[in-house]
Amino acid sequence: MVKRCWLFLTMFSFPLVTSDNQPNYPTSLPDFSLLLPKPGQGLELVSTEVGGKQHWYGRIFLNHTSVYEEKMAKMEVKTSLLDNMIGVGDMVLLEPLNEDSFINNLKKRFDHNEVYTYIGSVVISINPYRSLPIYTPEKVEEYRNRNFYELSPHIFALSDEAYRSLRDQDKDQCILITGESGAGKTEASKLVMSYVAAVCGKGAEVNQVKEQLLQSNPVLEAFGNAKTVRNDNSSRFGKYMDIEFDFKGDPLGGVISNYLLEKSRVVKQPRGERNFHIFYQILSGASEDFLCKLKLERDFSRYNYLGLDSAKVNGVDDAANFRTVRNAMQIVGFMDHETQSVFEVVAAVLKLGNIEFKPESRVNGLDESKIKDKNELKEICELTGIDQSVLERAFSFRTVEAKQEKVSTTLNVAQAYYARDALAKNLYSRLFSWLVTRINESIKAQTKVRKKVMGVLDIYGFEIFEDNSFEQFIINYCNEKLQQIFIELTLKEEQEEYIREGIEWTHIEYFNNAIICDLIENNQTGILAMLDEECLRPGTVTDDTFLEKLNQVCATHQHFESRMSKCSRFLNDTSLPHSCFRIQHYAGKVMYQVEGFVDKNNDLLYRDLSQAMWKASHSLIKALFPEGNPAKINLKRPPTAGSQFKASVATLMKNLQTKNPNYIRCIKPNDKKAAHIFNDALVCHQIRYLGLLENVRVRRAGYAFRQAYEPCLERYKMLCKQTWPHWRGPARDGVEVLFNELEIPEEEFSFGRSKIFIRNPRTLFKLEDLRKQRLEDLATLIEKIYRGWKCRTRFLLMKKSQIVIASWYRRYAQQKKYQKIKSSAIVVQSYIRGWKARKLLRELKHQKRCNEAATIIAAYWHGTQARRELKRLKEEARRKHAVAVIWAYWLGLKVRREYRKFFRANAGRKIYEFTLQRLMQKYFLEMKNKMPSLSPIDKNWPARPYLFLDSTHKELKRIFHLWRCKKYRDQFTDQQKLIYEEKLEASELFKDKKALYPASVGQPFQGAYLEISKNPKYKKLKDAVDEKIIIAEVVNKINRANGKATSRIFLLTKNNVLLADQKSGNIKSEVPLGDVTKVSMSSQNDGFFAVHLKEGSGAAGKGDFLLSSDHLIEMATKLYRTTLSQTKQKLNIEISDEFLVQFRQDKVCVKFIQGSQKNGNIPTCKRKNNRLLEVAVP
């Protein structure tokens, strides 16, 4: 038989057979394009009816044995999960259901590039380790607003189902992505987010939110992902992102939560693995200047924290990724100084690994550690702004506080290395948490309207290694909780659908892993509780004492195994070492080595190091260690890592239970990270610990398949004569008639309110086989009808063609006869016309010769007459010319005799004037060629050629300079004119008066030194100020009591002067310009100035303002100009090294003196007494 790929088949718009069972041929078919058949070929036609429109499809085949592809007449093709199915697309329909058939089905689909498979509404995703053309924009549109089971399995189908449920049904959603490292969890989460971003709304604000949400991934991947033996981009932390939407389904923002960053990787990596990506990206992609600022070198081998065996990864461009990360941080909303601070902390962590210690014995016999080379320590301190002696002491001593007592002990070399690594891990871990918090500030929803939420959980899968430690224990605990909520929500979803459809719910037997969760998290007898109790217990605490406690408390638990427990059945179990215990998880047994459990749970950082970090002048590092503040010392022991993670998991579970869950189970096909390789044993191992078979059994414990009545009737209506081709009644009645006609046992199906439920997959496959056979029969019938229609159409076309050909021939014969008669008449006419023309030509030639003879005779006579007249005129002209010449000579002689006596008296003056005129003309022509450039600062001018032109030469130089200055000014924009006017005003006010003025001449006046409109930190300040801000600058406000400086934001508007708090943005003082009477400053090279206020005004209650700024000249100039513009009065600028300032009721003298400074060239201010404030200027 022919192998055919069919669509949903419906009837033609005409009946296939008549009442007497004879084929009915249509008179016309719709336009469509087909390949022409070869000899012996037939043609199949299929029509589908979608939305009341008929769609036709064809297929050419040869003798019912070979199939040729054809061009589809319609590009929009509607398929089903059951059409073209490779293997089984939904594991619920797999028959028989066992582990081998499960794996074989996955392998079969994987070999055909089908990487997605369903278990009901759960998506199984197999990592193909290569790019597949199934994520294009066309695919996004194909799955958009489609039923979940309408198309072949795809992650886009689940994403679309979740998004539409959130948008249309107002149900909060969560997408849980699980699987082991390298299974493609991170890529799956990216695909989900990219699909949601593609199908949701558009607009500038919406696009900005989407871009920020998407660009948060590269930042978190750089700082939280690393290359492992299983995955080149392995997430070493758990991530849960809540994406918030408005009522239209447009994204408003998001919130990210991170879980258990693998910070131990910072100081040590297994063989064949790398540290976090960001270390390698900085060293590979940063410029030389940037590396110099961070005090780093490009060579990886210079740093002990970087493993060298896997420093380079094939196919990974760390330099390009670094540029991507910096661009992503900018898009997300990181300020430049924040980005710089982050990279400085990363550089400090990297350099901490290069600090090495040496032993040194003290007088009392105790061992002490000393730093070998202090250059690295010095560079770290320069990066972080920590006093070198403070950090060095923190690495060598430890202070223990108990109530009112402090005990300081020395650290040996091993303890010093532990302190160094603990600091590096804590510093990086806290930096990562700060990054997540900072990203949340940027991407959080700005509006307070009610939001819909879609959560995406990308978290570690179940881990079973050769050596399993504390990290694997809490990761597997998290997976136990996820498995528990997965089974509960799956059963809940099944039960709700059965109740909704009115079908009786029967209890389903399944393995409940609550007993395992209780073994781990019980507050009294749980393993985590025992671990916390052991960590807090006084006395000697080791991993062995922890294991002994477990053996006492958990020995009788059926899922706990230990060789040292009281249970005799494990005493001789050689596969279980004495220093280990084993737990029977839902995914299998896992053996944990107890070594390191206590230390990793304590996660201890010495208080000396916390206090040293808090003393840093680096604002970010200081913010990362708030517990180091001596004023906030808390002697209470910090919570352990296990209890923190337990609380985080509990919060996560509570959050997930409030949302509608969607699951993506990721599977890694092989350990080689290679395409086209499917390792059955590895996949089987993952199927077991993901509990996929258990999931299928739970799903099909009731009814394996369910479908709405309308698509079910549409798909199988051709199997029953009563429903084919059209069923006129309700869809449910049609399905009942169909199933009764097919004699399907009643226990195999049940009727719900809107769906048909089929219990056994064999029943569904039987329906599919019957449908396939029926389609074959219908195709044969359609082919027969089409062939008849084709032959009849060909006959009618040939008949019509014969009539057309005959009419065309008769027309042609008449045309030929007419042309022959017409050509004969034309020949006769041409002969007659030729004879008449020749006769006329002879007459015209004779007449022409006569006319030419008369013309020639007349011409000769006229020529003779003209020559005679010309000769006469020439003779007369010669006579007149001779008379004129003689008369001219006579007049000349007469004049010369008359004026000879006056010639010598006037000749000198005329010659002088003529010579002077010629010199002036030469001077101006030479000046034209020697003109200097049009630059106003060009001092060149041609030399003066003659002494008598000295004043003229100078005046020309002045006029030319004024002219080119005007030409130069005409080029200025209004903004440039304003800048030069301000510079000119500053020159008039401060030139030769203030020593600071010359340094400000070359500096442009910017005004807005703080990006208040762009920085979200100053949003509150921006909203409070309605006027245009002329200048925004951070100044130091001098305290009246002690002379110390406090940072304030100085704002100058058209009507007011404002001082605001730099951190909170709250306005502290607001002074109208009319209340400012004077500005005082010294004549020296400092930035101090006093703003004097009008006595009795509302703003003068606390007195005048004494401020310090790095842009004093600009601030004073703009204040002067703004006051003059608004009040029409000039502001008094007093420049003196000693002036009075009104502080409340007292007047204090501010005196400026010369003196050397301890802190470099920064002026200092000290309060000498109640009436004197002294400022030392270098």
Side-chain angles (χ1 to χ4, degrees), residues 276-291:
F276 292 102
H277 291 328
I278 189 63
F279 295 115
Y280 304 92
Q281 291 174 359
I282 288 180
L283 297 182
S284 300
S287 63
E288 294 295 338
D289 293 340
F290 191 67
L291 287 178

Side-chain angles (χ1 to χ4, degrees), residues 606-625:
Y606 297 150
R607 184 177 287 111
D608 300 76
L609 290 172
S610 299
Q611 293 178 351
M613 292 297 104
W614 187 84
K615 294 178 181 178
S617 60
H618 196 283
S619 58
L620 177 55
I621 293 181
K622 188 170 185 175
L624 295 179
F625 293 87

Side-chain angles (χ1 to χ4, degrees), residues 733-795:
D733 297 344
V735 174
E736 288 183 6
V737 171
L738 176 64
F739 276 51
N740 292 332
E741 179 75 17
L742 296 176
E743 298 181 353
I744 298 176
E746 293 184 358
E747 63 272 9
E748 287 296 320
F749 63 90
S750 290
F751 292 104
R753 291 189 176 92
S754 63
K755 294 181 180 179
I756 177 73
F757 288 75
I758 298 176
R759 187 178 300 277
N760 200 309
R762 287 192 296 270
T763 304
L764 181 65
F765 293 142
K766 177 183 176 182
L767 289 173
E768 285 296 312
D769 292 339
L770 291 174
R771 179 179 180 274
K772 183 178 180 182
Q773 182 60 42
R774 180 60 177 157
L775 290 179
E776 296 285 347
D777 298 338
L778 290 174
T780 304
L781 179 61
I782 294 171
E783 181 185 0
K784 179 177 69 173
I785 293 174
Y786 174 75
R787 285 177 173 175
W789 172 85
K790 187 70 175 177
C791 292
R792 183 171 181 272
T793 303
R794 182 176 178 80
F795 166 74

Side-chain angles (χ1 to χ4, degrees), residues 1001-1017:
V1001 173
Q1003 298 177 355
F1005 289 173
Q1006 299 180 11
Y1009 290 94
L1010 298 179
E1011 299 178 346
I1012 293 180
S1013 59
K1014 299 180 180 179
N1015 195 333
K1017 179 179 177 182

Side-chain angles (χ1 to χ4, degrees), residues 558-583:
Q558 57 182 337
H559 290 274
F560 179 81
E561 301 175 5
S562 175
R563 200 168 178 184
M564 303 297 292
S565 66
K566 299 176 182 179
C567 187
S568 59
R569 58 194 176 105
F570 302 116
L571 294 177
N572 299 322
D573 188 355
T574 57
S575 64
L576 184 59
H578 292 282
S579 61
C580 299
F581 66 91
R582 188 159 52 205
I583 295 179

